[in-house]
């Protein structure tokens, strides 16, 4: 038995019919994979996170953290994929939680997902605006970061209202270029036998190396690098053969992401040397230009052109991530509207079968989240990017745990075809491991966001507040629906 869109609530039929259908069969495994890789923004993840993970975390053992988190996410994905085969809905998390615990808890999960995706996209706008503004400043153009962010929001809105195949092609090009330059660096270091200390597997992947220093910090950044892999299920309504496509894309994306980030960060360790990489990363942070930790080796190996190209690709990497999250949020809103938990207008699709109405709401949300930081003249990287990316990671980890518990509960009732490993053992193990990761994130949250303890507490408090708000709003919708259903129908003139 499969469940579609979590039993949408009956609503009044408007006088004029509007299409709510997405373009079925329009995207395959590779298309979904590019949406997921775009959400990770590979170049951004390496350039932005690797110096922090090495300097503040476990130094040479940082590459091992990516593999550890990859293993945890693979275990989580076992139950996630099992649910995707039974429940076909482009809302993923909330649909699965709803199937297990009911509409109100599912709505709380949906609001958490919207919190996570909207805040991480806003965070990326901050870093994007700063990077783009800096790039233009290097050629004599002085344009404020927020103006570039707002102009990009308009472009993303247009792209989000077009055919999803077009969006996938754009992302494939942008992601392909940034991955190519990082692989060029990685294989060059590998073929040259590393740096002054050669190449050592044990220096980065032994238990002693992974556990050195502050491994929790490195693990936090590894979790952030996985952000968005679950969007494989969000595109189920548009996937070719969704039962197989979602499963393949999920495992492929987790495997590719964890191995890729681990390999590139390992080559960075090898380039500097295991005993010197922490000092090199710290020096880059102290210089005020943390990107030099990665861009410096590129320039030294390949010449000045590599630094220029990498700077441009850093901007396009962020743009690709912004587009990917825009598309994912649209489909969440579309799915919620179909089930009656959001205004019905958000379920409307245009002639391209894209959720155009939801796209406008998403773009407006991005403006609302980003604009206050511009008005208050706050640093877009130290505040907007740091604060919201930390909040997004915390919210997403809670969602992962809710989903794992939902898998166990759902298959306890729906026993047909259920396998013990997929529906009990793996989800329960994932819940324990994710709770451990969440503890590490919460206990290191002030360092993660680079803000005050008060700011950290306020951001973390937003997670339960938003979840409860979603539950209460859904409860109010249900009461209103039941009251309306109990009234006698009015005769039409």
């Amino acid at each position: 038995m499969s469940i579609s869109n979590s039993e949408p609530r009956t609503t009044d039929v408007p006088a004029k019919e509007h299409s709510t259908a997405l373009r079925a069969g329009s995207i395959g495994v590779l298309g979904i994979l590019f949406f997921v890789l775009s959400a990770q923004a590979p170049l951004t993840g390496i350039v932005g996170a690797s110096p922090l993970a090495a300097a503040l975390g476990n130094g040479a053992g940082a590459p091992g953290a990516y593999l550890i988190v990859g293993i945890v996410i693979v275990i989580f994905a076992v139950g996630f994929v099992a649910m995707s085969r039974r429940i076909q809905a482009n809302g993923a998390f909330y649909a699965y939680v709803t199937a297990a615990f009911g509409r109100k808890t599912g709505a709380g999960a949906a609001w958490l997902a919207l919190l996570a995706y909207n805040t991480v996209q806003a965070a990326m706008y901050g870093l994007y605006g700063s990077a783009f503004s800096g790039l233009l400043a290097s050629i004599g153009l002085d344009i404020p970061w927020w103006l570039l962010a707002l102009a990009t929001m308009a472009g993303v809105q247009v792209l989000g209202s077009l055919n999803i195949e077009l969006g996938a092609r754009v992302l494939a090009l942008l992601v392909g270029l940034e991955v190519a330059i990082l692989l060029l660096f990685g294989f060059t270091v590998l073929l040259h036998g590393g740096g002054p200390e050669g190449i050592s597997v044990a220096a980065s992947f032994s238990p002693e190396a992974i556990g050195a220093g502050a491994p929790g910090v490195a693990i936090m950044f590894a979790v952030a690098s996985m952000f968005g892999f679950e969007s494989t299920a969000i595109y189920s309504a548009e996937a070719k053969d969704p039962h197989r496509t979602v499963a393949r894309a999920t495992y492929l994306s987790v495997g590719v992401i964890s191995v890729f980030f681990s390999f590139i960060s390992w080559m960075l360790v090898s380039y500097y040397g295991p005993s010197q990489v922490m000092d090199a990363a710290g020096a880059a942070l102290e210089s005020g230009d943390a990107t030099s930790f990665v861009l410096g080796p590129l320039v030294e190996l390949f010449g000045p052109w590599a630094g220029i190209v990498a700077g441009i690709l850093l901007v396009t990497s962020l743009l690709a991530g912004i587009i990917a999250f825009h598309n994912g949020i649209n489909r969440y809103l579309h799915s919620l509207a179909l089930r009656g938990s959001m205004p019905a207008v958000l379920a409307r699709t245009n002639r391209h079968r894209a959720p155009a109405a939801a796209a406008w709401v998403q773009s407006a949300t991005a403006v609302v989240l980003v604009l206050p930081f511009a008005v208050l003249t706050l640093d877009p990287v130290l505040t907007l990017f740091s604060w919201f990316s930390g909040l997004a990671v915390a919210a997403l980890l809670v969602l992962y745990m809710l989903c794992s518990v939902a898998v166990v509960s759902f298959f306890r009732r729906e026993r047909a075809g259920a396998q013990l490993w997929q529906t009990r053992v793996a989800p329960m193990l994932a819940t324990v491991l994710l709770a451990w990761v969440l503890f590490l994130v919460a206990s290191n949250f002030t360092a993660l966001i680079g803000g005050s303890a008060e700011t950290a507490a306020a951001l973390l408090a937003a997670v339960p507040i938003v979840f409860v708000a979603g539950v209460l709003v859904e409860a109010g919708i249900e009461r209103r629906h039941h009251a309306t259903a109990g009234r006698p129908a009015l005769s039409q003139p």
Side-chain angles (χ1 to χ4, degrees), residues 58-65 197-213 262 265-278:
N58 54 355
E197 299 175 40
I199 294 176
S200 172
V201 175
S204 291
F205 299 103
S206 68
E208 293 78 16
I210 296 172
S262 182
S265 59
W266 181 35
M267 288 301 101
L268 278 169
V269 170
S270 300
Y271 175 86
Y272 286 105
S275 66
Q276 301 177 43
V277 68
M278 182 175 283

Side-chain angles (χ1 to χ4, degrees), residues 377-463:
T377 64
L378 297 174
D379 187 288
V381 178
L382 298 180
T383 57
L384 177 55
F385 176 74
S386 297
W387 295 359
F388 278 179
S389 57
L391 172 57
V393 168
L396 196 67
L397 283 170
V398 173
L399 273 172
Y400 286 167
M401 292 175 61
L402 271 174
C403 188
S404 291
V405 175
V407 172
V408 177
S409 177
F410 176 80
F411 282 103
R412 185 174 294 169
R413 297 194 315 265
E414 306 287 336
R415 295 180 178 275
Q419 297 182 13
L420 186 62
W421 165 249
Q422 295 178 341
T423 62
R424 293 288 185 87
V425 179
M428 292 174 67
L429 179 59
T431 302
V432 174
L433 293 172
L434 289 165
W436 168 66
V437 173
L438 180 60
F439 169 77
L440 290 176
V441 169
S443 59
N444 292 276
F445 201 70
T446 302
L448 174 63
I449 66 168
S452 65
E454 292 76 14
T455 300
L459 290 171
L460 285 175
V463 176

